[in-house]
Amino acid sequence: MATTERKSIKPVIYQLFPRLFTNTCDKCVPFGTIEQNGVGKMNDITDFVLSKIKDLGITHVWYTGVIEHAHTTDYSAFGIRPDNPYIVKGNAGSPYAITDYYDIDPDIAVDVPHRMDEFEALVKRTHAAGMKVIIDFVPNHVARQYHSDAKPAGIEDLGESDDTTMQFSPSNNFYYISRQQFAPHDVYLGEGDDQYREFPAKATGNDCFTAFPGRNDWYETVKLNYGIDYGNGSRHFSPTPDTWFKMLNILRFWCSKGIDGFRCDMAHMVPVEFWKWAVPLVKERYPHVIFIAEIYDVGLYRDYIYNGGFDYLYDKVNLYDTLRGIQCNNVSAASLTNCWQTVDGIACHMLNFLENHDEQRFASWQYAGDASLVLPSLVVSATFATGPMMIYQGQELGERAIDSEGFSGRDGRTTIFDYWSIPTVRRWYNHGKCDDEHLSRFELNLRRTYQKVLLICNNERAIAEGAFFDLMYVNYGNLNPHRQFTYLRSYKNETLLIAVNFDNAPCSIDINIPIHAFECLGIKQGEVTAVDLLSDRSTTAMLETGTPFHTDIEAHGAVIWKLTPLRRTSRPRTSRQAK
């Protein structure tokens, strides 16, 4: 029932897309160009802006889309080879269609020739603000027109020495569809001199080994070859494949720029043997660098931690999907018990979130439809384990993503393909003032709620370092297990009793704490002061087996009661009520 996990800092990550974050254009038009809609710049993420992000309780900033990727804007005047617009999704392009692993995307630079200098300055500012820097590493695929203009001397481009007559070769960086021209379904590739031509066709990034991917495939990317022949399933890892060495060089290159971690895109689509080889070689030189895996298969979790060497994994298909099911699909709150059981022993490696660039916004009509309903999900995500918590730009302001931006339609997500700005972030950013001038009272209060919960993550050692104990098995008769959930987090003499209510109505519950919890967590029975860290309510209560702890919880609310032993020579009469 209880597992103890020790770690000094619980990472609290803020995902920030520079292209969108500091864009102040308030009259964006669908399918707009960079001239029409503008674009955010790294230089606009100033010391002051970073201090306001830090104030939320943030420990790490994940700068998304900083490596050069395909887009329709022409930077050939700066020696950057243009991308064929017919093989780019949207005008701004996907940040996961990398065109040069050794360069910064020119869109987000003020002085394009010095774009790497601007990135390095951003890293230094982030560190000076007391936060660490995470960037994307996209190991599974690259843009169809990958070409490095900025690679260091002696580095060979991906695919430069491939034998394109071979569908698979351990020495190739790409997979080829022999004697066939690339011809995706429902994708216009242009005509005449402007037409995009690829012969022989390369395999598409989402493991589509045909010359004819569909519009919903990742047709703008090509799959990288790590030594697996997908035709017969054979694996060719000795001698070490050429792709492995090239990707290791890329990882070390970015480490040399001072970054602190990589969020590894679709890590489970790359063989775990590569990670087992590469991660130790990176950490040999840069031991502080962390690796976060985007992964969508619970069955692979332990393999990618214990063999792959990952520090943290997305817990999307476990906790995120369960919380969304509780919110949207009448899934029972009691199913949260299965979530911690699924990752028992590795919970400290789980990265939790409610939003990111791939997922629909919590406040979108496709999800909860109302940001005011977020507290129970937020509290569970943030306090369930010692692993990281992540939020996405604008989540703390209740961004609803109701725009139809262009290539990205009205899908409940903030676009990653279009030049655009985020309404809530734009109003908060307010040309770098980061003030409250253009925020509603609701948005201000919501941001304060996020700040309170995220600060708890590291202000309370019971959350950052403590053990977890599920209280549901002794409380099914005291609450509605389909709408309420309760558990303990404990570290030394500090104990937090947490309860959440997903229901539309308030509830009043008595929470039993079994003797097993006292024994496992080393909690002393007796009188305690109880302070709800969310509402600042306080009371005294008896914390002992046989005496339920009483609490009221608002509709779509939560409580985090901090229980601290009282030292008295005699036992006074107290109320057990905590209202």
Side-chain angles (χ1 to χ4, degrees):
M1 269 306 217
T3 57
T4 301
E5 304 153 351
R6 297 301 165 98
K7 194 182 296 106
S8 59
I9 292 177
K10 176 184 173 77
V12 181
I13 302 169
Y14 191 86
Q15 184 187 3
L16 185 160
F17 208 150
R19 183 211 294 167
L20 300 171
F21 187 76
T22 57
N23 187 7
T24 59
C25 178
D26 60 358
K27 294 180 174 61
C28 292
V29 296
F31 298 100
T33 64
I34 194 171
E35 291 80 15
Q36 291 173 302
N37 289 356
V39 68
K41 303 293 184 180
M42 293 180 290
N43 283 1
D44 293 331
I45 306 171
T46 63
D47 293 322
F48 179 68
V49 173
L50 289 165
S51 73
K52 301 297 284 187
I53 294 172
K54 176 76 159 58
D55 286 347
L56 272 175
I58 303 301
T59 64
H60 295 65
V61 182
W62 166 18
Y63 292 110
T64 304
V66 298
I67 299 178
E68 185 186 329
H69 54 270
H71 41 58
T72 62
T73 305
D74 188 350
Y75 290 99
S76 58
F78 301 99
I80 300 171
R81 192 177 76 173
D83 302 302
N84 187 302
Y86 296 110
I87 203 63
V88 178
K89 288 183 176 178
N91 281 325
S94 168
Y96 299 100
I98 300 294
T99 52
D100 189 345
Y101 272 121
Y102 291 98
D103 209 352
I104 290 295
D105 195 81
D107 275 351
I108 58 175
V110 173
D111 183 1
V112 173
H114 294 97
R115 54 196 178 276
M116 186 62 76
D117 294 334
E118 291 186 15
F119 173 73
E120 291 177 1
L122 176 60
V123 172
K124 290 178 181 177
R125 288 197 300 277
T126 307
H127 288 162
M131 296 179 290
K132 297 182 183 297
V133 172
I134 296 169
I135 66 169
D136 283 291
F137 175 55
V138 189
N140 178 62
H141 51 266
V142 294
R144 298 208 87 91
Q145 290 189 297
Y146 182 87
H147 171 76
S148 178
D149 301 306
K151 62 184 183 295
I155 295 292
E156 184 183 73
D157 245 357
L158 288 163
E160 187 174 325
S161 299
D162 279 8
D163 180 351
T164 61
T165 66
M166 299 285 291
Q167 183 166 346
F168 167 80
S169 168
S171 301
N172 282 353
N173 299 137
F174 300 125
Y175 297 94
Y176 297 89
I177 295 87
S178 302
R179 298 183 296 280
Q180 294 192 50
Q181 184 166 316
F182 179 66
H185 294 296
D186 302 321
V187 178
Y188 179 61
L189 296 182
E191 297 177 2
D193 293 340
D194 294 333
Q195 182 181 0
Y196 177 75
R197 294 180 178 87
E198 180 180 296
F199 182 87
K202 302 182 187 75
T204 294
N206 59 322
D207 290 358
C208 182
F209 296 92
T210 171
F212 315 109
R215 184 173 177 80
N216 293 326
D217 288 308
W218 306 344
Y219 66 82
E220 83 280 28
T221 70
V222 290
K223 173 82 172 177
L224 283 168
N225 172 9
Y226 283 82
I228 299 179
D229 184 346
Y230 287 91
N232 58 27
S234 60
R235 303 162 85 84
H236 306 263
F237 301 149
S238 182
T240 304
D242 180 73
T243 302
W244 292 26
F245 287 108
K246 286 178 177 173
M247 302 312 277
L248 175 63
N249 287 336
I250 291 162
L251 288 165
R252 286 173 168 170
F253 172 83
W254 289 106
C255 289
S256 73
K257 301 299 179 183
I259 63 102
D260 305 287
F262 295 99
R263 178 269 188 189
C264 301
D265 186 71
M266 301 304 289
H268 62 290
M269 296 182 75
V270 173
V272 71
E273 289 86 351
F274 165 75
W275 301 112
K276 184 178 182 179
W277 175 84
V279 171
L281 289 173
V282 172
K283 293 199 174 194
E284 185 176 82
R285 297 186 186 181
Y286 305 97
H288 70 285
V289 170
I290 63 172
F291 283 79
I292 301 169
E294 179 191 21
I295 189 166
Y296 297 121
D297 185 343
V298 172
L300 296 176
Y301 278 10
R302 284 167 173 82
D303 197 19
Y304 275 68
I305 292 168
Y306 296 132
N307 291 320
F310 278 95
D311 298 283
Y312 305 112
L313 313 178
Y314 271 33
D315 197 19
K316 194 270 183 193
V317 293
N318 185 43
L319 186 62
Y320 171 89
D321 282 355
T322 300
L323 287 171
R324 180 159 182 156
I326 294 168
Q327 186 69 50
C328 303
N329 300 317
N330 205 32
V331 171
S332 173
S335 59
L336 289 169
T337 292
N338 184 64
C339 287
W340 72 258
Q341 290 174 335
T342 298
V343 297
D344 195 24
I346 59 170
C348 57
H349 297 282
M350 295 296 105
L351 182 150
N352 296 329
F353 57 86
L354 297 178
E355 293 185 14
N356 61 46
H357 67 277
D358 284 320
E359 307 301 337
Q360 291 169 325
R361 294 283 192 171
F362 182 90
S364 69
W365 67 264
Q366 294 93 337
Y367 193 162
D370 185 350
S372 69
L373 309 182
V374 77
L375 190 57
S377 293
L378 176 62
V379 166
V380 170
S381 288
T383 69
F384 221 44
T386 59
M389 174 64 182
M390 182 174 76
I391 67 167
Y392 185 40
Q393 55 186 5
Q395 177 183 342
E396 74 280 16
L397 301 168
E399 175 59 37
R400 299 186 62 203
I402 60 175
D403 297 329
S404 181
E405 303 98 334
F407 187 89
S408 181
R410 190 168 297 170
D411 57 3
R413 298 174 178 86
T414 294
T415 181
I416 64 171
F417 304 108
D418 304 280
Y419 293 115
W420 205 256
S421 66
I422 306 172
T424 51
V425 173
R426 185 182 68 240
R427 288 187 284 103
W428 171 81
Y429 177 70
N430 194 18
H431 300 278
K433 296 178 184 177
C434 303
D435 55 20
D436 304 338
E437 183 178 353
H438 300 298
L439 294 182
S440 68
R441 180 175 297 179
F442 171 78
E443 290 165 342
L444 285 170
N445 288 336
L446 183 65
R447 192 175 193 276
R448 293 188 188 109
T449 296
Y450 269 88
Q451 181 182 47
K452 184 166 284 190
V453 172
L454 297 179
L455 284 171
I456 286 170
C457 288
N458 279 299
N459 287 346
E460 299 298 327
R461 297 186 72 182
I463 301 299
E465 302 181 65
F468 169 92
F469 195 99
D470 188 338
L471 295 173
M472 291 299 288
Y473 78 107
V474 291
N475 283 290
Y476 279 102
N478 300 337
L479 47 72
N480 178 355
H482 303 306
R483 305 310 296 161
Q484 287 106 42
F485 193 83
T486 183
Y487 53 98
L488 296 172
R489 295 297 308 278
S490 186
Y491 180 80
K492 294 185 176 179
N493 65 341
E494 297 178 4
T495 299
L496 302 181
L497 191 158
I498 301 171
V500 296
N501 178 23
F502 293 94
D503 203 44
N504 293 323
C507 64
S508 183
I509 59 177
D510 293 304
I511 301 173
N512 289 320
I513 302 176
I515 187 63
H516 189 45
F518 288 99
E519 294 171 348
C520 281
L521 302 177
I523 302 172
K524 293 182 179 180
Q525 300 191 47
E527 191 175 21
V528 296
T529 59
V531 178
D532 177 17
L533 300 178
L534 297 177
S535 68
D536 297 324
R537 293 178 292 170
S538 64
T539 187
T540 56
M542 289 304 300
L543 187 65
E544 58 185 6
T545 184
T547 303
F549 184 94
H550 181 86
T551 187
D552 299 325
I553 315 177
E554 295 179 355
H556 300 286
V559 291
I560 303 177
W561 288 103
K562 185 172 184 177
L563 310 175
T564 306
L566 275 174
R567 295 181 180 178
R568 292 186 176 177
T569 54
S570 59
R571 176 174 165 178
R573 296 176 61 189
T574 63
S575 169
R576 68 181 180 91
Q577 302 295 310
K579 294 185 177 180

